Amino acid sequence: MRRTVTLSALAAVLAATAAGSALAVGSTAEPESKRAAAADRAQRGGTLLDRVPRRGVLRVCTTGDYRPFSHRDPESGAYTGIDIKMAGDLAKSLDAKPSFVPTTWADLVDDLAAGRCDVGMGGVSVTLARARKAAFSEPYLTDGKTPIVRCEDKDTYQTLEDIDRPGVRVVVNPGGTNEQFARAHVKQATLTVHPDNTTIFDEIIAGRADVMMTDASETRYQSAIHPELCAVHPDEPFSFSEKAYVLPRGDTQFKEYVDQWVHLATHDGTYQKYEDEWMKR
């Protein structure tokens, strides 16, 4: 009787041990299977360097309100600009066509990070805040903030001290580096946020504002098409910045490709040709 009990107890112990081993194996196998599934999904998705040619479409997030880089015609909906031409060039190099995704300065990087587009283009300045959410290509332009004013006031607003005085009316567009710069430096002047970047320069021409501080490249263009306006020392801006194309984080192969494309385009005359089409109008 005692022998039978002992054998039964031993069998129970062995069964419990086997069950525990199975559970241990199962707990290890579960993450492995999940990792394998994730790897499989990643392999099917792959890098944009492969997916864009397969899809035949390069999705480009752009604001459409920043000439000479990106402008959307309100009637036709057509996009034009230096970076619109560059988008077409990048898409062609990937055996694809560009498809433009409307966005705003406040939402551009978030739209890219959410996968609504493959690249952000349109005169985007490189900032550390944006770099926390997205990657940047090799820069294609050096820039910086500088004033644009009515030509009769050109000598009046040469420095930040000249601008930040009581009675001076500074106008700025919302959501981007222009607003950030203005809020950081305008403490005594009146700062007004104008919601439409396509009509903001009319505020200065009409006398409803005195100064806007924006990228030197934009002041050069706007002063060229508006003889009433003058760019103030665009060759010596108040700040340093660079423009580049915004890319998804983590896709190293796509970033390396875009970097190489930018490098070639800025050295073989491609970018200069598109810039000349706008800046020499």
Side-chain angles (χ1 to χ4, degrees):
M1 181 68 176
R2 184 175 298 172
R3 178 183 178 84
T4 303
V5 171
T6 302
L7 289 173
S8 298
L10 179 61
V13 170
L14 290 174
T17 303
S21 299
L23 286 172
V25 171
S27 64
T28 302
E30 180 75 13
E32 285 294 333
S33 64
K34 288 183 178 179
R35 283 196 289 270
D40 182 61
R41 285 194 299 271
Q43 188 175 18
R44 287 201 305 269
T47 170
L48 284 169
L49 188 57
D50 297 327
R51 284 155 51 200
V52 170
R54 284 201 302 265
R55 189 196 306 146
V57 174
L58 176 71
R59 301 171 303 159
V60 182
C61 276
T62 191
T63 63
D65 67 349
Y66 188 23
R67 290 181 291 183
F69 299 101
S70 171
H71 175 67
R72 182 178 184 271
D73 186 278
E75 295 183 2
S76 68
Y79 286 88
T80 56
I82 298 170
D83 279 345
I84 300 304
K85 285 290 190 72
M86 288 290 282
D89 189 88
L90 175 59
K92 183 178 180 181
S93 77
L94 292 165
D95 300 320
K97 294 182 179 181
S99 175
F100 298 106
V101 180
T103 187
T104 66
W105 288 108
D107 297 331
L108 190 152
V109 173
D110 289 332
D111 283 344
L112 179 82
R116 298 186 183 96
C117 52
D118 308 314
V119 59
M121 305 178 74
V124 184
S125 296
V126 178
T127 69
L128 293 178
R130 287 170 175 164
R132 292 179 65 179
K133 297 181 178 180
F136 280 97
S137 72
E138 176 179 306
Y140 63 89
L141 183 67
T142 299
D143 220 338
K145 304 302 180 189
T146 203
I148 184 168
V149 302
R150 290 181 296 277
C151 288
E152 61 264 30
D153 295 332
K154 186 175 181 180
D155 295 334
T156 305
Y157 302 112
Q158 290 286 313
T159 67
L160 283 169
E161 290 74 19
D162 293 336
I163 295 168
D164 190 23
R165 293 183 290 110
V168 177
R169 299 164 300 172
V170 179
V171 66
V172 69
N173 60 307
T177 56
N178 286 345
E179 184 179 9
Q180 293 169 12
F181 185 85
R183 292 197 181 281
H185 294 92
V186 175
K187 305 300 180 183
Q188 302 181 70
T190 300
L191 180 62
T192 300
V193 177
H194 185 76
D196 184 1
N197 199 40
T198 62
T199 61
I200 194 168
F201 298 96
D202 296 334
E203 296 298 294
I204 303 174
I205 295 171
R208 292 186 291 269
D210 302 310
V211 184
M212 179 181 180
M213 292 179 288
T214 184
D215 294 321
S217 53
E218 185 175 32
T219 67
R220 289 190 183 99
Y221 175 75
Q222 291 295 336
S223 62
I225 64 172
H226 297 296
E228 309 95 324
L229 299 178
C230 283
V232 180
H233 51 65
D235 295 329
E236 298 178 357
F238 293 143
S239 64
F240 168 82
S241 67
E242 294 177 314
K243 294 195 182 301
Y245 301 123
V246 196
L247 306 168
R249 285 174 53 180
D251 194 334
T252 304
Q253 290 174 292
F254 187 57
K255 175 175 163 33
E256 289 176 349
Y257 180 86
V258 175
D259 281 344
Q260 188 61 57
W261 168 77
V262 171
H263 183 76
L264 292 173
T266 53
H267 287 78
D268 67 7
T270 299
Y271 180 84
Q272 190 63 53
K273 177 180 68 175
Y274 299 148
E275 183 181 65
D276 288 347
E277 290 176 1
W278 278 80
M279 301 305 288
K280 293 183 179 180
R281 290 185 177 189

